[in-house]
Amino acid sequence: FFFFFFFQAEDGIRDAQESRGLGDVYKRQYQTQSTWGGHIRPNHISNIISTLGTNMALVLYDSALQPISLPSNLPVPAHGVPYKGLNNQGATCYMNSLLQSLFMIPEFRLMIYRWAYEEEKHGLKLYSIPYQLQSLFTQLQIGPRNYVKTKDLAGSFDWDISELTIQQDIQEFFTVLLDAIEQSDIEKQINAANLFGGLLAHTIRCKTCGNGSKREELFMNLSLPINDPFTQTCNSSLEMALENYLKPEILADANAYACETCSKKVEASKGVVFESLPLILIFQLNRFTLDMYTQQRVKIKDRVTFPFVLNMNNYMQGYDGIKKKSEDYMKELEGELLLLEKPVHIPKEQSKEQPKDEAKEEVKVPQLAEEGTAADHSNEYKVKYSGEKVDLANIATDLGVAPQSSSTTDSTFEYDRELIQAVHKSRVEEYLKEGPDVYELFSVTVHLGEAFHGHYYVYIKSFEDGYWYCFNDCTVSLATEHDVVKAYGDSSNVKCAYMLMYRRVGVPFPKVGIETVPKYLLEEIEQERIEEEKREKKRQEELRKVTITLYYENTFFMFSMEREDTLKKLKEAAIAYFNIKTKLEDCMLRAYTKERRMLVESHFPDKDDLALDKLNITSYRDYVLELKDPGGNFKEYTDEDIVVKMIVYDPSFTVLEESVLPSKLVPVKKSAKVRDLIKLVAEEVKVAPTHEKLRVFRRKQTYQDTCFESIFYEEAMENVLREMNINDGTCVYVETIESEEDVKASRWIGALEQDKAKICIFFNNPYDPNSECNNELIASKNDTIGVLKEMIATRFNIKSNEFVLHRISNTGPELKDLGLTLGGAGLNRTSSLYIEFGNPTAMDECRLSLSEAVLVPEERNDMKVYEYAYWKDIPVLPSITILQFKQMISEELQKDRNLLLPPTQLRLREKASEAEGRVLIDSLELSFYEVYEGKAICFQILPHDELLEVDNLVLAMKEWNPEDWAVSCGAELVANSRWKLHDLAYAVCDLFPYYRSHIDQIAVTRVTHGDYRRSELANAHWETLYENKKPLDNYPLKLTVQGGYLV
């Protein structure tokens, strides 16, 4: 961890030993003040400065108290923790959690820093993943902000906004990240396998002769199932999961092993053995799985415990070599959980310092290995307990751990962190006697949520100060071991540990000081700091300024002032600009409402010496410079004054939007009655205030409609305006009665009905298929589709039967019923239509949307077997057969692409989103498949003739190689629904001929479209095909007429 030290600048940097002594002094001085484990907290810096003086420079020391050269203005994190957060770009919490864990591994950070960027070799910085990772780590280490943006790193992956808003699996992203670094690292300077790579041996041993096979495999992380219904295992702890992971599988009966030595099929055991383990050991608790009954992705929330100290020596000799079972480890953990999950109960009389003669013997328990040595005893914890070995049960008893809730009136409750660490240290020493493979937990990634939604955050133990921290996107906070064990999970808790990282104990921590950061990144950080200072200075200057819009007579001017300037200074500037011959005391600033053209709040001359900020004079209001009248008085202001907007009917109005109609302001008092307002309105339009000459309406808006409501009737005349919902700024609609027609019907109401019937149609230019819908046409909702087509035909000088009308886009449904009104067709006031040249569809026809499906020619996406390209829409009669439909498509292909294809070389399928559906059988009518307007159909061009029957299934298949995790490109297989799995084995051999000699080893699993990741294959349920009598349409494959996707 880092200490801050200050020294007199003119004295220079003292030697390392002298500086170390100064550091120890201030460490001791502030250790009792800080709850931050002996660190000098940012709020203590000012105390140190006041103690040593102001003429100081700043030097940073690493954990070995070696001086590191840093800029003198190194920023101190404002949130009180020594680490920074990462911002979430939408759904990138999984990426943030992994990046924070990798950053906290000093070896990985050094590995990234040692990579040297060269534009000639690595291309632009924007697309260089190692460079962007370097930059992000540098920002996390010495950047000026409290959190770091990940936009540039995500951009180097060429991710778009859709990928940033879809949450990915953190374990899969770990694999993707390491692969991307490896591909970008031309010189192979970054070798992640040195940190994360372990070696597994897959073994098969014959139970007859003892011979067998062995295949080694490199692993970067271990995926451990929690609840496997197929093997009937339920792992409640990490140790139990490791046991079951190593437990061998018995190959017998149909799965018997073909032993070359015995020259026959024999019973054998198949399992895995750890050959070597990495420095950083990563476990994924497989909490997401596929429910085979519902075919839905589910999250397993079962409680799974994991230790803070993991003894992997116990698992290095395979399953038979396990000496200590998971139940034994669980018993050890139970005592530790008492200390973590329950508060430590220390009676008050015992919590006081005991007399020396009664004090218990001090037992020194070594601290966890820190930097520089495998067992550094320089800093030791002292536990008051008699005896040489720390026993959890006795500790819990002696300390009085309360198994149940108790009163706190006569006792003190506190969390004894030193005791927990002493227990962990004791375990380390005990396990190291068995061998070197002992690991300490330092990272726990937690998933909060359900199978299809949630949030990732991570608890990380710092190797620099030994404290746990919670990294939750931008927020970083101090945590404890108690917080970590809450992530064990249970059936009612959506907060579950998902990824665990352990580090081998006894390996020295390398220094990751400022000198390890590439020079070009330090220069960028310094440049960014300078730019940030400039931006902050500019922001502060802008905050101090206020722009005031000031009116005088018929002109206005915008004055730029400082907030601290006085009202007097503003008035002087206004008098000078408007060239007014007056004294300061004879003019006044008044707030002004431009919309109502009313003067409101007054700032009298007695306030001239006050600052603008104190008077709340801001940039968001308008002001008027008012002069005294000839009598020497200012105009009076009262909050009783309001204005009502009056709009008089004019037949030239085409739009009845209140905001665009011309209005006149009528001043009136709040306490006025409707009768008073009617008189004022009648005076404005110069008619008598009678029902025979005048109508006055208020516009009433409801959820679905708008209407005019009269306010001019006898019962309302004595009502106060606010009782009629007439307030400041309310609009009234006025019309005069001048003819017999006016007496019969209101012109305002008639205009409103016509306006409500209007529909504004937006459409594209059919001569330009890529044009936007920016052409406009006004029609009535009572007009028919036929009338609309004639209007469009006139606009573009074409015939109405030469084009097709679609809703919204070219893939939208066609508007083909010419007698249907626009309102009946559901077109509203701002509807968009797409016009394209072509023959309109008849009423008894359906227009189907055709796309071409092509097998993906190479490995691009685990989930994709086909790629789809929209071709065209074709109108068809639902009564034709599929074979006739194929003939139509064949003829269209000949016209468009000059392809001569018989209908038997076309395969038609229903299409749902990006997944294929049922195959359309030639002998059936199109109506059998429930066709409707715009139904999506995809076609495939086959290299051979195909005639499918009703019981045929088309299966999409990919091949997976467990040795290198490679997945092949997609292939197709035509099966029969009456087949057994055994029949499928021979069909697979026809598709992949090299399987014929290993037909008894072929196994398949069914995966779900859109929800399949390669990382899930290791834990999938694999069904061996050879001599398997299960039907295709039953458990476990459950293949139906929709087909399926098999690996």
Side-chain angles (χ1 to χ4, degrees), residues 801-816:
N801 61 353
E802 292 179 345
F803 64 92
V804 180
L805 274 184
H806 294 277
R807 290 182 184 271
I808 303 176
S809 68
N810 62 336
T811 58
E814 180 185 354
L815 297 173
K816 57 185 178 180

Side-chain angles (χ1 to χ4, degrees), residues 251-278:
L251 303 179
D253 301 329
N255 293 327
Y257 173 62
C259 180
E260 295 180 358
T261 304
C262 300
S263 300
K264 62 178 181 180
K265 286 194 172 185
V266 295
E267 188 174 304
S269 62
K270 178 184 177 182
V272 294
V273 177
F274 292 116
E275 293 286 313
S276 63
L277 296 177

Side-chain angles (χ1 to χ4, degrees), residues 1 52 134 169 176 325 650 675 962:
F1 55 102
L52 296 179
Q134 273 188 342
D169 181 82
V176 170
K325 294 298 182 181
D650 190 312
R675 185 183 303 279

Side-chain angles (χ1 to χ4, degrees), residues 262-461:
C262 300
S263 300
K264 62 178 181 180
K265 286 194 172 185
V266 295
E267 188 174 304
S269 62
K270 178 184 177 182
V272 294
V273 177
F274 292 116
E275 293 286 313
S276 63
L277 296 177
L279 173 66
I280 306 298
L281 185 57
I282 302 177
F283 298 103
Q284 179 203 7
L285 301 179
N286 196 358
R287 292 192 176 274
F288 301 105
T289 187
L290 181 70
D291 189 320
M292 296 304 294
Y293 296 100
T294 63
Q295 291 294 300
Q296 294 290 322
R297 177 182 168 95
V298 294
K299 179 180 177 180
I300 302 173
K301 306 173 190 174
D302 296 359
R303 177 181 172 89
V304 179
T305 63
F306 45 86
F308 286 91
V309 179
L310 177 64
N311 182 16
M312 286 300 293
N313 295 304
N314 196 43
Y315 308 102
M316 295 305 293
Q317 303 302 319
Y319 183 78
D320 295 334
I322 295 177
K323 298 177 182 178
K324 194 172 183 178
K325 294 298 182 181
S326 59
E327 295 82 0
D328 300 324
Y329 284 115
M330 191 63 216
K331 289 178 182 178
E332 288 185 357
L333 186 61
E334 285 175 356
E336 186 176 341
L337 293 180
L338 284 175
L339 300 179
L340 289 174
E341 296 182 348
K342 298 287 185 179
V344 178
H345 176 202
I346 306 176
K348 284 185 177 180
E349 58 274 10
Q350 293 184 19
S351 64
K352 298 176 181 178
E353 185 176 354
Q354 296 180 355
K356 291 184 179 181
D357 55 345
E358 297 179 6
K360 294 184 179 181
E361 178 186 356
E362 290 188 353
V363 177
K364 296 181 180 180
V365 184
Q367 185 189 5
L368 284 170
E370 300 222 358
E371 181 183 352
T373 176
D376 187 356
H377 298 272
S378 59
N379 185 9
E380 298 173 340
Y381 290 119
K382 297 181 179 181
V383 181
K384 292 184 179 295
Y385 179 72
S386 58
E388 297 181 354
K389 184 178 180 181
V390 177
D391 187 295
L392 281 174
N394 291 337
I395 289 176
T397 302
D398 283 358
L399 290 178
V401 175
Q404 299 176 350
S405 61
S406 60
S407 173
T408 60
T409 56
D410 60 346
S411 60
T412 302
F413 288 83
E414 59 183 31
Y415 172 60
D416 199 331
R417 177 175 175 270
E418 292 189 357
L419 178 60
I420 292 297
Q421 292 199 341
V423 172
H424 294 168
K425 194 51 61 185
S426 177
R427 292 238 175 93
V428 169
E429 289 192 333
E430 180 184 347
Y431 296 158
L432 283 175
K433 295 175 183 178
E434 301 178 26
D437 296 310
V438 181
Y439 287 81
E440 176 193 1
L441 180 70
F442 75 91
S443 173
V444 179
T445 301
V446 178
H447 182 266
L448 179 68
E450 299 293 344
F452 291 99
H453 58 84
H455 176 64
Y456 286 100
Y457 61 94
V458 61
Y459 293 110
I460 305 176
K461 183 178 182 181

